[in-house]
Amino acid sequence: MTYTLAGNQRGIARREGGPLSVRNFPVAASQTFKAGDWVTLSSGKVAVAVAAGSNVAGGTKILGIAQADAPTTTDTLVPVILADDSTQFAVTIYHGTPASAVSAIAQLGTAYEVRNDTVGGSVVDIASTTNTKVQIMGFADEQPNSGTPTVGVQYAQAWVKVLAAQRVF
C-alpha cells in the first residue's frame, strides 16, 4: 500500500492512494483546542469535539483532527485533516485503568469511542463502546524509538478510521 503521511506530533494521518484532505475552516468563538485534537463543526465553524478529559458524545460528529492550535480570534482559519473513507489517524490506545491500555489483535476491526486526553490529545478509548466513533484498522509498526511491536504494548499507537455515520461529511 502507498500512503501519504502528514501531521504533527499530536495528529498524524495517512491516506491510501493520494493526498490527505485538508481544509481550512473558520474557528468558533472561545476555542482552546490544540493541534491533534478531535474537532467538529458548530454552525459552520470548527470547534473542539469534546473537552479535555472526556469522550466525544454520541450526537457529536467528527470533522477530523486539527492541525493547528485554536487561534484566539473568532473566524480565523484553521487547517483540519478531514475524516473520510481513505484517511486513518494515528492515536494512542487509552483505558481508564492504565495497565489495561494495551493493544491486542482482537481490537482490529472493532469500533470504540474517542477521547480528548488531558495529556496526549486524540486517543481511542478501548474500554468504551457505547458511542463508537472509530474503528481500529491496524497498529503502528513500533513504539517511537523502541523497536518494540505495538501488539501487547501499553499506550500503543493505533491507526483508526472514523466511522462513516460519525463523520461531519
Side-chain angles (χ1 to χ4, degrees):
M1 291 183 199
T2 302
Y3 289 100
T4 300
L5 295 173
N8 56 57
Q9 290 181 343
R10 295 183 67 206
I12 297 175
R14 68 183 184 181
R15 180 182 178 98
E16 187 175 357
L20 290 162
S21 296
V22 179
R23 286 187 43 199
N24 291 314
F25 292 89
V27 70
S30 304
Q31 294 299 304
T32 59
F33 60 80
K34 300 292 184 195
D37 286 348
W38 297 109
V39 291
T40 189
L41 281 185
S42 177
S43 300
K45 297 181 182 184
V46 70
V48 68
V50 66
S54 298
N55 286 16
V56 176
T60 302
K61 304 287 187 191
I62 302 288
L63 176 64
I65 290 187
Q67 288 300 286
D69 293 351
T72 56
T73 306
T74 302
D75 293 329
T76 300
L77 296 178
V78 63
V80 175
I81 296 178
L82 299 180
D84 61 26
D85 283 337
S86 297
T87 300
Q88 297 177 19
F89 298 99
V91 296
T92 302
I93 297 282
Y94 170 87
H95 191 288
T97 304
S100 296
V102 176
S103 58
I105 292 296
Q107 296 161 350
L108 293 173
T110 304
Y112 295 102
E113 293 186 28
V114 293
R115 177 178 189 82
N116 182 2
D117 189 49
T118 55
V119 177
S122 302
V123 298
V124 58
D125 187 348
I126 61 169
S128 300
T129 57
T130 302
N131 298 313
T132 58
K133 301 292 179 186
V134 299
Q135 180 179 26
I136 293 181
M137 306 304 290
F139 300 106
D141 291 333
E142 60 186 40
Q143 290 285 62
N145 303 316
S146 75
T148 304
T150 57
V151 174
V153 174
Q154 185 179 29
Y155 302 125
Q157 292 289 301
W159 287 108
V160 300
K161 184 184 294 188
V162 177
L163 301 171
Q166 298 302 320
R167 296 191 292 249
V168 169
F169 298 120

